[in-house]
Each structure stands twice: as structure tokens, then as C-alpha cells.
């Protein structure tokens, strides 16, 4: 019997998620090493882990997959009825699993990873009651990519609004019915950390939104209403509470609503997140935790 002198190469390791149907390759995980470009699948995986952790059964918060975000970014803006139908059909076809775009009226916040010209940024759709919907653009490379990437974000948001309207014709929206805000946010100091910053922005905002949802739920309880009624007939005491959020000079200097808690929620400053290499290691731990019950390494999702 002939025995090869060269052993068969080991099968590539796959990382099958236990919480949602997605698999990563070893190359995806290796791309989280410092100096590497984070892959599309890693960003998708991490966004889905945020959804699973914070808003698993809450349809108000949506994390749009990379392939749909790419479609919205790359498709030219065209308001013809034929184009709009094709756009919505293509987006809905890609959305067969999560179906996050089918009922746009229930969406309050949507996260879109935007990719263009070799760079990632984060676009956040923010529904506002009786006001124009607001899109917040978090770009970690503003000095070099502001003009081009802001245009990528604008194309994506207009196409997203078109898909919303096609999926719900009763929505009174148009390409002009929005507000786009380019946010001051932590900046990368190299050419390969943009995907990591997108994940970090999404993590910071998701954790804050989840905390607000929890607080709102407790405020809606019968006990809370009773406490409020009792407090209303008691003598008000001076408050000694202080805002726990402090922002960098460059962020706070230009903001008109510094005292509005709802506006503060959307501000991201340098000290809010992890250093990029630490964030890479954290995402890697999240992947290990989500794909294997036998690993000793774990992370809080």
C-alpha cells in the first residue's frame, strides 16, 4: 500500500454560531489581528451579536446586513417607478432571513455599515416622532474621506427611504424628507481600523439604547406610576445628580443640545470605546463565545 510522504492538509476551521445561522472562516477570525482589514462577515457577525444581545425580540431596532447596505450604497439614485420596484425587490430578496425592511413603520433605529472606496463607516437611521427622520453618519477618517463617504451615506439613506416607501406605500417620505448629520467621533490613526471603529460605534450606541429601553420599560410599570403620583404631592427636593457623560471639547463645542439626554445618547467620544487593538481582541472573544461551548475564552455579548 502506497503511503504519501506528505500528510493531508488539515480542514480549515469553521466557526458556526450557536445563536443565529452564520458561519465564519479561520480567515475571518485571523483578520481581527492588528494591522489586518476586518472582513464583511465579521462585521455582519458582530452586528447580529449586538441584535441578539440587546434587541433579540425588539423589532424597533434593526441591524441591516452588509450585503443589503452595499446594495443601497452602490445602486444609483433613481426615482422612476420601475427602478424603485427593482430596488425594493432586490433588497427584500437579500432580506429573506431577517426581514428587517418589510415593516419600516415600526423601525425606530437602524444601523447600516457603509462601504465605499475601500473605507467603512456607520450610518444610523433615527426615527423621530412628528419630525424628519435623522441619519447620523459616524466616519472614523473624516479628514481624508469626508466628502466622498458622506456622498456614499447620502446615496444609501435615500435608497433606504425608497425601499421603506415601496414596502409601505402609506409612508409619506421622499428623498428630500430627511436630515443627515455628520458626527464628530473618535478617529483612526492608520489605514486599516475603519471596520473596527464601525463595530465600536455600533456597540457604544447599542448599549446606550438598550439601557434607555430598560429604563423606559421600568418607567411604564404600575409601581413607577404610583411613585410618580406620590412624588407629585410631596415637597420637591433639590437634585444633586450630575450628568455621567462628559464629552471631548471638539464634540461639545459645536452642539446646541448639550443638556438634552436624548441628544447626548448619540454622541461618541474617545473615552467611550476601547483602543482599536483591544476592540479587535474583544470581537474575537465574542466570536469564540458564540461559536463554541468548549472554549475557555468568553466574552459578554
Amino acid at each position: 500500500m502506497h503511503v504519501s510522504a506528505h500528510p493531508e492538509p488539515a480542514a480549515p476551521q469553521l466557526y458556526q454560531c450557536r445563536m443565529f445561522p452564520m458561519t465564519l472562516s479561520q480567515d475571518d477570525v485571523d483578520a481581527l489581528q492588528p494591522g489586518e482589514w476586518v472582513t464583511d462577515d465579521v462585521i455582519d457577525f458582530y452586528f447580529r451579536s449586538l441584535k441578539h444581545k440587546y434587541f433579540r425580540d425588539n423589532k424597533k431596532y434593526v441591524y441591516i446586513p452588509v450585503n443589503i447596505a452595499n446594495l443601497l450604497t452602490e445602486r444609483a439614485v433613481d426615482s422612476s417607478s420601475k427602478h424603485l420596484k427593482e430596488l425594493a425587490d432586490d433588497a427584500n430578496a437579500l432580506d429573506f432571513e431577517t426581514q428587517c425592511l418589510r415593516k419600516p413603520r415600526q423601525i425606530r433605529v437602524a444601523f447600516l455599515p457603509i462601504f465605499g472606496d475601500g473605507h467603512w463607516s456607520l450610518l444610523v437611521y433615527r426615527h423621530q416622532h412628528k419630525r424628519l427622520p435623522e441619519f447620523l453618519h459616524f466616519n472614523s477618517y473624516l479628514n481624508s474621506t469626508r466628502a466622498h463617504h458622506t456622498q456614499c451615506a447620502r446615496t444609501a439613506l435615500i435608497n433606504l427611504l425608497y425601499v421603506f416607501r415601496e414596502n409601505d406605500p402609506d409612508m409619506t417620505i421622499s428623498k428630500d424628507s430627511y436630515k443627515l448629520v455628520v458626527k464628530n467621533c473618535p478617529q483612526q490613526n492608520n489605514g486599516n481600523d475603519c471596520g473596527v471603529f464601525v463595530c465600536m460605534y455600533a456597540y457604544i450606541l447599542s448599549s446606550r439604547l438598550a439601557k434607555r429601553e430598560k429604563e423606559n420599560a421600568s418607567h411604564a410599570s404600575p409601581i413607577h406610576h404610583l411613585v410618580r403620583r406620590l412624588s407629585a404631592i410631596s415637597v420637591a427636593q433639590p437634585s444633586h445628580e450630575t450628568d455621567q457623560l462628559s464629552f471631548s471639547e471638539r464634540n461639545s463645542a459645536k452642539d446646541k443640545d448639550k443638556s438634552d439626554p436624548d441628544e447626548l445618547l448619540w454622541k461618541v467620544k474617545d473615552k467611550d470605546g476601547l483602543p482599536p487593538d483591544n476592540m479587535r481582541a474583544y470581537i474575537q472573544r465574542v466570536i469564540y463565545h458564540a461559536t463554541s461551548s468548549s472554549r475557555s475564552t468568553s466574552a459578554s455579548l
Side-chain angles (χ1 to χ4, degrees), residues 249-299:
E249 189 69 21
R250 67 177 183 186
N251 282 346
S252 61
K254 298 181 180 180
D255 291 316
K256 298 179 180 179
D257 300 314
K258 291 185 289 184
S259 60
D260 184 345
D262 193 51
E263 295 302 321
L264 292 176
L265 183 149
W266 301 100
K267 298 181 185 296
V268 178
K269 63 184 185 304
D270 293 335
K271 62 186 289 187
D272 286 329
L274 295 171
D277 287 353
N278 292 17
M279 187 68 192
R280 287 173 179 270
Y282 171 73
I283 297 172
Q284 195 171 59
R285 293 197 301 272
V286 168
I287 293 170
Y288 290 160
H289 179 80
T291 58
S292 174
S293 59
S294 62
R295 291 181 181 273
S296 59
T297 303
S298 64

Side-chain angles (χ1 to χ4, degrees), residues 93-153:
L94 293 174
D95 192 29
F96 66 93
E97 184 184 330
T98 62
Q99 298 192 358
C100 60
L101 304 177
R102 305 304 174 93
K103 297 181 179 180
R105 206 175 305 200
Q106 69 185 6
I107 298 174
R108 292 298 175 265
V109 176
F111 295 87
L112 295 85
I114 301 297
F115 185 78
D117 200 23
H119 178 65
W120 289 101
S121 64
L122 178 67
L123 183 65
V124 180
Y125 164 79
R126 176 189 177 194
H127 171 85
Q128 299 190 101
H129 183 61
K130 294 184 178 180
R131 296 168 62 185
L132 291 178
E134 186 173 74
F135 287 85
L136 309 177
H137 190 210
F138 297 85
N139 183 352
S140 61
Y141 219 30
L142 277 174
N143 289 340
S144 300
T145 67
R146 178 189 292 267
H148 180 266
H149 225 66
T150 299
Q151 184 56 47
C152 290

Side-chain angles (χ1 to χ4, degrees), residues 174-201:
S174 71
K175 70 173 186 177
D176 300 315
S177 59
Y178 67 89
K179 179 181 179 183
L180 175 61
V181 180
V182 178
K183 301 292 287 183
N184 288 325
C185 53
Q187 298 291 288
Q188 65 189 88
N189 58 14
N190 58 33
N192 46 48
D193 277 338
C194 51
V196 178
F197 274 81
V198 165
C199 293
M200 184 171 65
Y201 299 148

Side-chain angles (χ1 to χ4, degrees), residues 11 25 39 118 125 128 139 157 166-167 184 220 227 231 246 270 275 279 293:
S25 69
T39 66
Y125 164 79
Q128 299 190 101
N139 183 352
L157 72 87
E166 287 295 301
N167 286 342
N184 288 325
V227 170
S231 299
S246 59
D270 293 335
M279 187 68 192
S293 59

